Amino acid sequence: MRVGIGYDVHQLVDNRSLILGGVTIPHSHGLLGHSDADVLVHAIMDALLGASGLGDIGQHFPDTDPDYKGISSIKLLKHVGDLLGHAGYKIGNIDSVLMCQAPKLSPYMEAMTKMISEALSLDRSQVNVKATTTEKLGFVGKKEGIASEAIALIYKA
Ligand code: MG
């Protein structure tokens, strides 16, 4: 068995859609990034790549590559799942946390879990998404950005 961690932060700005876990969430602001800036999926991809010793998302999907401009991170997650499969790994479970002051994410957790587990052909019970505020402290608390951490356990098939 092997484990990996992932961490990501994106800035909240005007005039962008807020996409978390592949779900478009109604909000006054969205996350800035080269792709759709799905901070949760980015952390999960890094956890999976880290667990398998395959580097990080910056190596696989450089933000200088126009192919990835505006791309759905769920598509990239499917690709990471394929990479792990080709390397002979299966995913045991993924746990994750979103650090977000606003909007309230609880109504969307189920949909996010569904999107992520389906992208990786996992059972819903293998994927867990949590959310927390930072009690108005720091850049998350000041609504300047959203952060995410993830951990993944994988094993040789
Ligand atoms: Mg990112």
Side-chain angles (χ1 to χ4, degrees):
M1 286 188 292
R2 297 168 61 110
V3 294
I5 60 165
Y7 177 74
D8 197 23
V9 173
H10 281 266
Q11 188 186 353
L12 277 167
V13 294
D14 287 334
N15 301 316
R16 287 271 297 185
S17 298
L18 179 60
I19 298 166
L20 296 172
V23 178
T24 302
I25 294 170
H27 191 50
S28 56
H29 291 66
L31 294 174
L32 183 63
H34 185 67
S35 66
D36 65 0
D38 189 329
V39 68
L40 171 61
V41 172
H42 291 186
I44 288 172
M45 287 194 283
D46 261 352
L48 291 169
L49 290 169
S52 53
L54 291 172
D56 64 28
I57 55 171
Q59 293 167 22
H60 290 273
F61 315 112
D63 64 8
T64 50
D65 188 333
D67 281 0
Y68 302 124
K69 188 161 168 55
I71 197 169
S72 161
S73 296
I74 286 286
K75 262 190 200 165
L76 304 180
L77 180 63
K78 282 182 190 162
H79 181 71
V80 167
D82 290 343
L83 287 175
L84 262 73
H86 293 319
Y89 290 111
K90 281 188 179 293
I91 297 165
N93 75 297
I94 294 165
D95 190 18
S96 60
V97 58
L98 276 160
M99 287 152 260
C100 176
Q101 192 66 44
K104 197 166 173 49
L105 298 178
S106 53
Y108 308 102
M109 307 303 267
E110 193 57 38
M112 289 189 235
T113 306
K114 185 170 187 284
M115 287 293 288
I116 294 160
S117 57
E118 284 178 359
L120 294 168
S121 303
L122 298 175
D123 188 80
R124 295 271 277 279
S125 66
Q126 290 172 277
V127 177
N128 197 73
V129 180
K130 307 184 297 295
T132 183
T133 70
T134 57
E135 301 287 342
K136 298 183 180 168
L137 294 170
F139 71 86
V140 167
K142 293 180 176 66
K143 303 177 191 171
E144 294 168 352
I146 296 177
S148 183
E149 279 187 53
I151 185 164
L153 183 143
I154 65 170
Y155 57 96
K156 273 280 178 189

